[in-house]
Amino acid sequence: MTGDPSGARLEKTALFVSHTAEMGGAELFLMDLVRHGPPGWGACFLADGPAARVLEGSARPAIVLAAGAGVLSVRRGSSAFRLGGAAFGVVRLARDLARAARGYRVVCANSQKALFVAALATRLMRRPLVWILHDILTDPHFSAATRRAAVIVANLCASRVVANSSVTAQAFVAAGGRASKLHVVHNGFDPAAHPRGGLDGDPDRGAALRAEFGFDARSVVGLFGRLTPWKGQHVLLAALATVPNVQALVVGGPLFGEAEHEAHLKRAAQDLGLSDRVRFTGFRADVPDLMAGVDIVVHASTEAEPFGRVVVEGLLAGRPVVATRGGGVAEIIEDGRTGLLVTPGDPDELAEAIMRLVSDPVLARSLAQAGRADVAERYAITTTCRDMAGVLTDVLRPG
Ligand code: UDP
Ligand code: GLC
């Protein structure tokens, strides 16, 4: 049992398990839960990584089962020998997880790979399982087999499925998931951790950002997100090629082994003649500060975004946001009132929306003001923790 400052015995309630400790949106969600939720909530990563390092110094360090990294790295097209080895490894990992989770009353799998391991572990422990679903399961990048396997395991083993948006929830049902198990719990944020830029916040942040990255007085748009084709950084580059007076900060790293894509994007910026107007920062731990320093936050995903943390964060920074229509984004932004929505994958529409905001500061400011007020109220971390606690209470209710 972990001690608490009062010396009282701390009841371990829920262990949230992710297969990776990279700093993706789903892992940031998990970290926020254990930092802001009740003391009985803990984190577990089935691989070592930066998210584990961040929690290391906190009151609630994560459990790390580093062996998961090798076991769970199988990809589509792996040999039968490799798959057989992985299956054996998953059983061992599940046994390790069951041991590590001893004392917790419920295990919450925070990713698809974690679901398979946690489903076995909770059988061994005779504890309930909750699956937190961060993906739109009907998306083409999930193979039919992965989708079927996840839905079957969820239907058979999970007491509840928590989806990060209504769209994610609907896709789970469309893929064969049981609607009766579903709850929607949004990502939540602490507005105090998101400084506000622009005229309604701290206008010096724009100057500081320009100095740090060598930008001039022209407008700066920021795109925040891991470097992977569906996050649409290439669409922003194509849009910039048609708007000569706009500079861009592209923030994010190739989190899940897509270094080639990063090189490709940098080459594309060069080929489009954008080298003097675009900066690539790699992964940054200070996204809220950077957001407060840009003039416009752009979200350019080419596929439906399951939720879209960066969209809420951009609005919390008091910046006007242009985002692609669809997925969870449509639940966050009301087009024309709290932001501008554009067609995914259309650089001309994106360029037009950016120019609209650059040339109409009154519109930009009114969208930013309405957007911040709206998301600060709807996406508070306190609400997220309360909603998640409600689901867990329900799961643990006797009978
Ligand atoms: N992020 C970060 N550093 C970066 C780029 C992104 O901390 O360099 C954070 C960003 O602030 C957001 C998360 O990563 O909280 C991305 O979450 P989102 O839901 O937008 O997309 P995901 O990557 O989970 O699909
Ligand atoms: C996933 C989704 C993203 C969502 C995040 C947190 O990574 O791709 O849209 O915001 O999870 O729920």
Side-chain angles (χ1 to χ4, degrees):
M1 292 282 164
T2 316
D4 78 0
S6 67
R9 187 169 172 273
L10 174 64
E11 190 193 23
K12 295 174 173 178
T13 327
L15 186 66
F16 296 88
V17 185
S18 245
H19 72 284
T20 172
E22 289 298 333
M23 304 269 269
E27 289 67 46
L28 291 167
F29 170 85
L30 182 159
M31 291 160 76
D32 284 342
L33 281 183
V34 299
R35 281 190 292 215
H36 295 270
W41 291 3
C44 174
F45 298 111
L46 304 181
D48 206 353
R53 296 286 82 71
V54 172
L55 290 178
E56 216 164 49
S58 76
R60 285 177 250 177
I63 297 168
V64 178
L65 301 179
V71 172
L72 299 170
S73 66
V74 278
R75 298 195 183 283
R76 259 204 256 191
S78 297
S79 67
F81 182 70
R82 185 94 210 278
L83 288 173
F88 181 67
V90 165
V91 175
R92 275 219 321 237
L93 190 58
R95 213 186 45 203
D96 292 348
L97 175 59
R99 203 171 295 136
R102 196 173 290 151
Y104 282 95
R105 299 179 67 201
V106 53
V107 174
C108 303
N110 191 55
S111 64
Q112 288 188 50
K113 286 180 176 175
L115 171 70
F116 297 120
V117 181
L120 271 177
T122 47
R123 292 274 122 162
L124 294 171
M125 299 163 69
R126 297 172 192 278
R127 289 277 185 249
L129 169 71
V130 171
W131 183 25
I132 306 173
L133 176 54
H134 292 277
D135 302 306
I136 295 180
L137 277 184
T138 46
D139 261 0
H141 54 245
F142 295 111
S143 71
T146 309
R147 196 161 45 217
R148 245 193 327 269
V151 168
I152 290 171
V153 172
N155 284 348
L156 286 177
C157 305
S159 303
R160 294 287 185 282
V161 175
V162 168
N164 61 356
S165 69
S166 303
V167 167
T168 300
Q170 282 153 18
F172 174 71
V173 176
R178 287 220 188 112
S180 58
K181 297 185 174 211
L182 264 173
H183 295 262
V184 173
V185 176
H186 292 128
N187 284 241
F189 304 82
D190 174 9
H194 293 263
R196 192 173 187 177
L199 292 178
D200 297 306
D202 176 2
D204 291 346
R205 288 185 177 270
L209 183 118
R210 281 177 169 76
E212 180 178 352
F213 296 101
F215 286 128
D216 58 33
R218 292 174 295 177
S219 297
V220 178
V221 303
L223 177 54
F224 301 82
R226 57 199 155 94
L227 301 183
T228 190
W230 74 272
K231 289 291 181 183
Q233 286 89 358
H234 60 289
V235 183
L236 175 64
L237 296 179
L240 284 178
T242 68
V243 286
N245 286 324
V246 176
Q247 307 164 96
L249 192 65
V250 179
V251 180
L255 288 195
F256 301 109
E258 282 164 310
E260 262 172 42
H261 185 59
E262 180 174 26
H264 166 79
L265 286 171
K266 289 183 174 167
R267 258 196 322 273
Q270 235 166 24
D271 294 348
L272 289 165
L274 299 172
S275 303
D276 59 330
R277 289 194 281 139
V278 176
R279 307 277 183 275
F280 291 90
T281 69
F283 180 86
R284 295 277 299 221
D286 56 351
V287 164
D289 294 316
L290 296 175
M291 281 188 172
V294 300
D295 298 299
I296 298 168
V297 170
V298 167
H299 162 271
S301 294
T302 57
E303 287 169 27
E305 185 75 57
F307 176 75
R309 290 174 61 91
V310 289
V311 175
V312 178
E313 290 166 345
L315 294 171
L316 284 173
R319 309 291 59 220
V321 174
V322 180
T324 56
R325 197 172 281 120
V329 175
E331 295 169 35
I332 300 169
I333 286 188
E334 190 184 324
D335 193 15
R337 191 181 78 81
T338 58
L340 296 180
L341 297 182
V342 296
T343 306
D346 186 335
D348 294 335
E349 235 187 88
L350 179 57
E352 200 183 305
I354 291 172
M355 284 321 292
R356 227 180 123 193
L357 294 173
V358 169
S359 60
D360 188 347
V362 175
L363 171 70
R365 193 170 175 186
S366 101
L367 294 175
Q369 283 172 340
R372 178 164 164 118
D374 182 46
V375 295
E377 193 188 308
R378 288 198 296 140
Y379 299 106
I381 185 66
T382 43
T383 310
T384 304
C385 291
R386 191 199 59 209
D387 292 351
M388 185 63 76
V391 174
L392 299 178
T393 305
D394 212 24
V395 167
L396 294 170
R397 188 166 288 138

